[in-house]
Every structure is written in C-alpha cells, then in structure tokens.
C-alpha cells in the first residue's frame, strides 16, 4: 500500500478519498487553488499545497503544477478523482514519466474509450451490443441523411468527440436533418475541435443503466448496475442501485457485457460502462446497448458501495499499489437498495441555473451518508461545480430506501444559497418514481408539478411570521416588553426578495405574541425550540448578517429574508430634518406612502433596490407625510430626497 498520495481534485470527491486514506493509514496531500485556500479538503488532508489561480486551467487542470506538487510533497501516487484530469491520457503519461503511479486505468485504455465511434467499433468487435447506427469516415450530408433514412427516424446525431450532451441532436423527420446536422457539427467543432458525427437510432422511452466494473489490467469483475434515468438535460439528479425492475437474466447479460468491455481494453481500476435501455416493453436482455465507458470513479459510486459493502476507493488504492482484485465475482452480492440525491446550489424554477452563496447553515440527518466538500460558513464559488453534497441512503427494499431518502431530504437543512432541496424532496415523492417507472424524460415531463409553488399557504404565512418574530428579537422573561395597559408595538420590515414584508407585532402575554401583516393576525407562543406560530412546530431560524433564513419543514427548503441595514436606515433618515434620502444610488422599487398620510416611527416609506439588495427606508419619527418626491421606477442618486415629513410642530 502507498505511504502517501496526492489528490488532484477538490470538494467532496477529495474529501471522500481522504476519508478512505485515513482509514487505511495512507497520508494525503491536497492541492488547492487561490479560491480553495480554506476549503474543507485542504483542512482535512495531512498536507496541502497551493497550485495556482482559481480558474481550473490555472490549477486543477494544470498538470505541470500538480506534478511539481506531487514531487515536492514526496507522494508516490496521484488520485485524480473525477472530472478535471481524470480522463486525460496525456496526464497519465506524464504521471508515469515522473515515476509516479496514476490511480486509474492506463492511458491506452482511456484513449480506447475517448472517441465514441472508435469505442463503439471496438465494443461491437468483442460482442458488446451497441446502439444500432451508422458511423464512418464519410461526413457528406447526403450520405449521412441516407444512413438516417436506412435506420429509420427518429435518429440521434452525436459528435464522436462528444461529452456532457454537447453536439447531440434528435431528429424526427428527414426534412429537419440538414439543419440539425449543421448545428450539431458547429457545436462539436466549437466544443471539441472535431466536427465528426455518427448517427444512432433514437431509443424511445430510454433508461440509463450503467454497470460498475473493476479491473486489474487483465481480468475484471462487475459490481452490478446503477439506474441513473432521473436526469434533467442529460445530467443525473437521483441515482439508485440496483435498477428497478431488473431481472436476473438482464443483470447477467449486462454484467457480462460490461466485463467484456473492460477486459477488451485491459482495464485497470474502477470504471463504468454506460448502457441505454429501451424500457418501452420492460427490461429485456436484448434491449440494452453500449453508450460509452467512463474510465474513472463516478459521482454516483456510493450507491454501489451501499449495496455491495465495498469501499471502491479502497479497491482503487489496493489495485493501483499492485494487490489483486479484493473479491471474485462469486463473492460479490447485492444487499438491499440504495439511493443518492445530488444537492446543488441551483435555482430550479429558473431553469436549473447554478447559484452561489455563503452557506450560513448546513446540517444533515445523522443516520445517512452525506458526502460533502463544504462546511457551514463555506462559500459556493462561481469557479467550480455548485454541488453541495450527495445524500445517500440504504434500506432493505426499494420502498424502504425511498422513504428514507424522502425523510433524509426533509431533515436536511441548508441556508445561504438557493438550492434544489425542495425539488429533490418532491422528486423523492413522485408517484411514478416510487412505482419504479423511471425514464430519462420523467423530470422534463413533470417539471411544472415538481417545481410548482407549495400550495400550503398556511405554512408560508407561519414562516413569514417566524421571520418577523426572529427579526424583532423580543426580550424574554416574565415582564419584559409586556405591558397590560398598552402593549408595546414593534414595527418590523423585512424583504423576501419579492417585495417588502411590513409587519407589526406585540406581546399579548409573557412569551405570547401577535403578528400582523398583509391584513392577517397570527398568534405565536415561545417555547424552548423557538416560536410556535399557530400551533405549528417551531421552524429554526438562522441569522446571517442582515439575512434571516427560516428552515421550512419536510424538505420544503429555506425562506430567506433581508433586514434593512440599521446604519443605512439611519443615513436615510438624516438628522431629524424630516427628509428621507436614498442612502446609495438605486432604483425606487415602491413608495409606501402618500402626502397627508400619518406615519409612525419605523413605518416603511419607500423601498430602494441597490447593490442587488432591497433597502426599506423607514420613518425616523411619528409624523405626517408632506411630500413624496419620487415615483416607483425612478433611478436616484445617493442622497436624493425621496419623502419629506411635515415639521414636527405640525405633526
Ligand atoms: P455524452 O457523452 O455527451 O454525455 P452520451 O452518449 O453519454 O453523451 O448520452 C447522454 C444521454 O443522452 C444519455 O444518458 C441518454 O439520456 C441520451 N441518449 C444517448 N444516446 C441515446 C439514444 N441513442 N437514444 C436516446 N437517448 C440517448
């Protein structure tokens, strides 16, 4: 076994590899960019070396910097993780030329699977079923159209150098072929510098089922299949093992084909053979076809670990250090069922837009495996993949595991960035998914339902009241702030990103409060776990600077509110001249008052959008509005007068 290895990666996969190394007594060397100087993987490793700037090309993709770090740290081997340099055969050559071990397959094996056309030809030659299609040197549009017509529409045009779904076009009619071909070729040329394409039969109702393989360079075993059909735009969202509806015959056929694929290229280490399956008539041993082989450890490997009890990173280290495969095919078996959900910082309703932010709060339920590379307080930066964590559950049956997944998502708490948590929790309760009716189109078909706002209005109202109560920070104690003769009313103004939430609240008894907003009154009671609104279980609130995050129950995610900055509010109010000014340049979003209106101290007067935030400008004192100098939509300079209160004597 190695004494010390370098991990040429970051985030959760680096942490994942370090965890196994620790258990095996292998010392770890982390590398990091400027953006990751204080990242979790750096803190977790035994040693850490800086390798460059935040852009991947300047650090995690810089082979020279990584090799220099490995030499400086005295590492014997390099684990590439996934992504970055993990499937780059030149890097493998360079690692070996430096006298180090690459923890993964040979450069030749990676090259054999690098281009889709060559890989398909090689697989077909050893008897692995490949998707029916046409490939060849002639890239003449008429010739390709003829090939498509011979196959029968619909067809899929695929860039031979493709990856990440790029350079791929489905074509349903001959008339659309020429334009689809032109755009696929242009995209492939731009992304891969290679415009060549192949044509495949488009599989209707496709399922993505992949087989985990493990080789020693000569022989290989498989560790059964994973179903990764729950995808959005060809990206996996929830993965599971084994595949729902899998039959022993089909599993044996797929496993044998995957082992043949791995052995045909002398595969060493962990790899995945991806198949596309036609699920229109159930799972049948004659309806699966090779798509591609990923010559690395995959993101979703934990579900395989959960059902086999194998630590795949341990196997990688053992085989790379010269040990034989730890188990034979006969010694491998499946126990129970496992799911993995990928928690991302992303805005699902906005089209799965990647998000960033500082994670003010992050907590996973104690009884699940959560693979993560970030801690509370860490930032999801724009430089890297916005994955926050993988949540992995295991149960004796698929139904038991799925209900554990739903519960685990309900109990996961994250605040500080938009996330897909609520979307995942809904997906985990999707009836079709629960019934095992998965295909790659499920999410797209039901996207509306999976992202619709939660209809349970009462919960949202309670969450807003909870935020108001947290913002007011009412003093506790038997008599504090509570006066029988005239309750002390606290005005609170928050913003939830949609607009201002203007509320008033007061204690009706010690530790009981009434909260008014939007013409409603909600009653709350304070207990050891916080404020219970209208008898609901208290929702935890995380304060983070001027933001308040209310953690909703049952996987509904987090509601974030912004408190107007008290300093800005003071600046806006001025020294008591009754003129309310813009504290900074911005856009007047709303004006809450009209001339002649009586206002109380703390009442919102106007809302200013500035520096990507909303600032609620409030009255410094009781009074009457004398003048409103702006309309909603006006762009104003810092210091511009917005609202004027009548002089105090006249109030
Ligand atoms: P890439 O290398 O760009 O990721 P793949 O060949 O792995 O491309 O295919 C990505 C996804 O596209 C698959 O997971 C599947 O959902 C879909 N797909 C690929 N080939 C076909 C096909 N012949 N018919 C239908 N869908 C396909």
């Amino acid at each position: 076994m190695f004494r010390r290895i370098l991990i040429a990666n970051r985030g959760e996969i680096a942490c994942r590899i370090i965890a196994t190394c620790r258990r095996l007594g292998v010392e770890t060397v982390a590398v990091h960019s400027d953006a990751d100087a204080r990242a979790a993987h750096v803190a977790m490793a035994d040693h850490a070396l800086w390798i460059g700037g935040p852009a991947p090309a300047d650090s995690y993709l810089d082979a020279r910097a990584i090799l220099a770090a490995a030499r400086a740290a005295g590492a014997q081997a390099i684990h590439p993780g996934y992504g970055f340099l993990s499937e780059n055969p030149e890097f493998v050559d360079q690692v070996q030329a430096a006298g180090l071990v690459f923890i993964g397959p040979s450069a030749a094996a990676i090259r054999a699977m690098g281009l889709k056309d060559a890989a398909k030809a090689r697989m077909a030659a050893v008897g692995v079923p490949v998707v029916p299609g046409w490939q060849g040197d002639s890239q003449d549009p008429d010739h390709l159209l003829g090939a498509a017509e011979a196959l029968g529409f619909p067809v899929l045009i695929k860039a031979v150098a493709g990856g990440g779904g790029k350079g791929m076009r489905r074509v349903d009619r001959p008339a659309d072929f020429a334009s689809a071909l032109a755009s696929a070729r242009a995209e492939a040329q731009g992304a891969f510098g290679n415009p060549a394409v192949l044509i495949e039969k488009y599989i209707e109702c496709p399922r993505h089922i992949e087989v985990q393989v493990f080789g020693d360079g000569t022989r290989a075993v498989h560790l059964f299949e994973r179903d990764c059909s729950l995808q959005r735009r060809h990206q996996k969202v929830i993965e599971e093992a084994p595949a729902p509806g899998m039959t022993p015959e089909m599993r044996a056929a797929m496993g044998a084909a995957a082992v043949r694929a791995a052995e045909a290229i002398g595969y060493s280490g962990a790899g995945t053979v991806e198949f596309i399956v036609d699920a229109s008539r159930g799972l049948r041993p004659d309806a699966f076809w090779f798509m591609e082989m990923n010559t690395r450890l995959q993101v979703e490997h934990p579900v395989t670990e959960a059902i086999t009890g194998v630590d795949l990173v341990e196997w990688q280290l053992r085989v790379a250090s010269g040990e034989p495969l730890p188990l034979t095919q006969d010694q491998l078996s499946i126990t129970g069922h496992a799911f993995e959900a990928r928690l991302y910082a992303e805005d699902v309703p906005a089209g799965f837009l990647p998000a960033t932010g500082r994670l003010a709060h992050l907590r996973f339920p104690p009884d699940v495996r959560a693979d993560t590379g970030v801690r509370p307080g860490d930032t999801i930066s724009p430089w890297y993949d916005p994955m926050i964590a993988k949540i992995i559950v295991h149960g004796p049956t698929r139904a038991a595991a799925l209900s554990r997944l739903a519960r685990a998502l309900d109990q996961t708490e994250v605040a500080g960035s938009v996330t897909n948590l609520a979307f995942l929790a809904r997906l985990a309760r999707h009836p079709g998914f629960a019934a095992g009716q998965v295909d790659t189109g499920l999410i797209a078909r039901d996207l509306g339902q999976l992202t619709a706002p939660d209809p349970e209005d009462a919960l949202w109202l309670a969450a807003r009241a909870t935020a108001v109560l947290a913002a007011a920070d009412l003093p506790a104690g038997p008599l504090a702030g509570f006066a029988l003769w005239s309750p002390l009313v606290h005005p609170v103004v928050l913003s939830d990103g949609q607009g201002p939430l203007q509320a008033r609240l007061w204690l009706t008894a010690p530790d009981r409060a009434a909260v008014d907003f939007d013409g409603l009154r909600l009653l709350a009671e304070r207990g050891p776990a916080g404020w219970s609104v209208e008898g609901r279980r208290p929702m935890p609130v995380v304060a983070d600077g001027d933001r308040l995050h209310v953690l909703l129950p049952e996987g509904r995610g987090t509601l974030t509110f912004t408190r107007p900055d008290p300093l800005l509010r003071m600046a806006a109010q001025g020294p008591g001249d009754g003129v309310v000014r813009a504290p900074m340049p911005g856009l007047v979003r709303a004006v809450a008052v009209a001339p002649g209106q009586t206002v109380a101290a703390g009442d919102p007067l106007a809302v200013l959008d500035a520096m990507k935030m909303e600032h609620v400008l409030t009255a410094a004192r009781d009074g009457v509005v004398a003048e409103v100098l702006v309309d909603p939509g006006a762009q104003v300079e810092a210091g511009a007068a917005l609202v004027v209160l009548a002089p105090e004597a006249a109030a």
Side-chain angles (χ1 to χ4, degrees):
M1 184 48 71
F2 305 112
R3 188 176 42 78
R4 179 180 295 178
I5 70 162
L6 178 139
I7 299 158
N9 217 301
R10 63 176 302 284
E12 69 87 17
I13 187 58
C15 295
R16 156 76 193 88
I17 295 163
I18 294 169
T20 291
C21 288
R22 273 193 185 164
R23 192 168 59 69
L24 299 179
V26 175
E27 277 182 47
T28 52
V29 181
V31 291
H32 68 87
S33 67
D34 288 328
D36 277 340
R38 280 180 292 279
H41 76 280
V42 171
M44 207 176 154
D46 298 311
H47 313 275
L49 289 168
W50 171 85
I51 49 166
D58 298 334
S59 47
Y60 300 107
L61 286 173
D62 183 345
R64 281 199 13 214
I66 289 170
L67 285 166
R71 271 192 296 267
Q76 299 161 290
I78 296 185
H79 195 308
Y82 53 70
F84 296 127
L85 293 168
S86 61
E87 293 184 280
N88 182 321
E90 284 79 46
F91 181 60
V92 179
D93 287 336
Q94 289 166 18
V95 170
Q96 286 167 350
L100 305 176
V101 175
F102 179 78
I103 302 174
S106 67
I110 296 176
R111 285 195 179 98
M113 292 296 179
L115 289 181
K116 289 187 199 292
D117 53 350
K120 276 183 81 174
R122 184 118 182 215
M123 291 299 104
V126 297
V128 175
V130 299
V131 186
W134 180 91
Q135 61 190 61
D137 291 336
S138 169
Q139 294 286 318
D140 169 56
D142 287 336
H143 186 201
L144 292 172
L145 174 60
E149 282 176 327
L151 274 172
F153 286 85
V155 298
L156 195 62
I157 302 173
K158 264 191 192 179
V160 302
K166 287 209 178 76
M168 219 158 63
R169 293 285 184 284
R170 174 188 166 145
V171 191
D172 292 309
R173 307 178 301 153
D176 301 334
F177 189 84
S179 65
L181 176 66
S183 78
R185 288 173 61 88
E187 190 171 294
Q189 175 65 42
F192 316 110
N194 179 352
V197 298
L198 53 79
I199 313 287
E200 272 181 7
K201 180 85 193 139
Y202 185 84
I203 309 296
E204 310 267 9
C205 194
R207 271 174 71 173
H208 174 121
I209 302 183
E210 58 187 34
V211 178
Q212 175 71 52
V213 292
F214 213 101
D216 64 4
T218 314
R219 304 305 307 273
V221 295
H222 72 84
L223 292 94
F224 314 104
E225 78 281 357
R226 295 185 285 261
D227 193 309
C228 312
S229 299
L230 282 197
Q231 302 182 353
R232 46 99 179 158
R233 299 206 194 118
H234 304 305
Q235 307 262 26
K236 299 163 185 171
V237 177
I238 293 184
E239 300 102 337
E240 62 180 304
M246 182 55 81
T247 62
E249 301 76 53
M250 175 119 174
R251 175 172 295 133
M254 292 186 81
V259 166
R260 251 196 327 275
E263 290 182 348
I265 57 168
Y267 198 78
S268 172
T272 295
V273 184
E274 293 191 335
F275 295 102
I276 188 155
V277 172
D278 177 358
S280 56
R281 289 174 297 155
L283 295 183
R284 294 147 33 109
D286 63 347
F288 73 90
W289 301 280
F290 171 88
M291 272 196 304
E292 67 175 349
M293 179 165 182
N294 291 318
T295 50
R296 54 172 161 80
L297 189 70
Q298 272 185 292
V299 177
E300 59 271 26
H301 74 277
V303 290
T304 298
E305 297 186 322
I307 61 160
T308 58
V310 166
D311 179 334
L312 285 166
V313 174
E314 175 182 347
W315 278 37
Q316 287 187 300
L317 294 168
R318 288 171 69 167
V319 168
S321 67
E323 292 181 34
L325 289 176
L327 294 176
T328 63
Q329 192 68 60
D330 293 346
Q331 291 169 318
L332 287 159
S333 61
I334 298 178
T335 304
H337 203 101
F339 287 93
E340 171 185 286
R342 300 186 185 195
L343 178 63
Y344 276 101
E346 67 181 8
D347 190 340
V348 177
F352 299 98
L353 212 61
T356 56
R358 198 180 70 84
L359 297 176
H361 179 79
L362 182 63
R363 187 153 71 198
F364 303 102
D367 54 344
V368 303
R369 171 172 171 184
D371 281 14
T372 180
V374 285
R375 302 152 298 189
D378 285 351
T379 298
I380 304 291
S381 81
W383 294 107
Y384 312 111
D385 185 84
M387 188 159 77
I388 297 170
K390 307 186 302 203
I391 295 161
I392 303 117
V393 297
H394 182 242
T397 61
R398 184 172 191 269
L402 189 55
S403 95
R404 293 194 72 176
L405 178 68
R407 214 182 56 231
L409 292 167
D410 289 354
Q411 294 171 352
T412 295
E413 297 176 351
V414 49
S417 165
V418 204
T419 74
N420 65 345
L421 181 60
F423 169 71
L424 292 174
R426 289 232 189 136
L427 204 49
R429 292 190 169 83
H430 185 282
F433 180 39
Q437 292 155 0
V438 291
D439 70 83
T440 59
L442 182 144
I443 289 178
R445 273 196 308 276
D446 293 343
L447 196 60
Q449 176 209 328
L450 289 165
T451 56
D454 209 301
E456 211 194 317
D457 291 340
L459 175 71
W460 298 103
L461 293 176
R464 291 161 81 87
T466 301
V468 169
L469 287 156
D473 197 14
L474 297 174
L479 292 172
F482 171 60
L484 268 179
W485 53 95
S486 144
L488 193 57
V489 176
H490 303 258
V492 170
V493 181
L494 294 173
S495 164
D496 66 358
Q498 313 286 323
L501 167 62
Q502 300 166 4
R504 292 163 183 272
L505 76 169
W506 60 92
L507 289 170
T508 57
D511 291 325
R512 282 175 193 271
V515 185
D516 278 9
F517 58 91
D518 293 349
L520 295 159
R521 175 161 304 166
L522 282 82
L523 302 177
E525 192 171 351
R526 180 154 49 189
W531 285 98
S532 154
V533 178
E534 297 287 331
R536 286 175 180 275
R537 193 167 339 141
M539 296 178 228
V541 179
V542 178
D544 177 29
D546 63 350
R547 301 204 297 166
L548 287 172
H549 308 283
V550 181
L551 308 178
L552 302 172
E554 280 124 46
R556 285 183 175 80
T558 303
L559 274 189
T560 296
F561 298 86
T562 312
R563 287 191 269 215
D565 184 332
L567 289 176
L568 293 178
R569 208 159 59 181
M570 276 164 48
Q573 284 156 353
D577 59 359
V579 181
V580 178
R581 298 173 193 280
M584 56 180 80
L587 179 85
V588 178
R589 162 87 74 110
V591 177
V593 290
Q597 193 173 328
T598 305
V599 294
D603 276 359
L605 303 178
V607 182
L608 187 72
D609 272 358
M611 300 177 73
K612 297 188 186 159
M613 299 226 312
E614 230 170 52
H615 306 275
V616 180
L617 309 179
T618 57
R621 57 168 167 83
D622 296 351
V624 174
V625 176
E627 268 183 286
V628 174
L629 303 168
V630 286
D631 291 321
Q635 188 72 42
V636 295
E637 294 303 321
L642 308 180
V643 176
V644 183
L645 298 184
E648 291 216 60

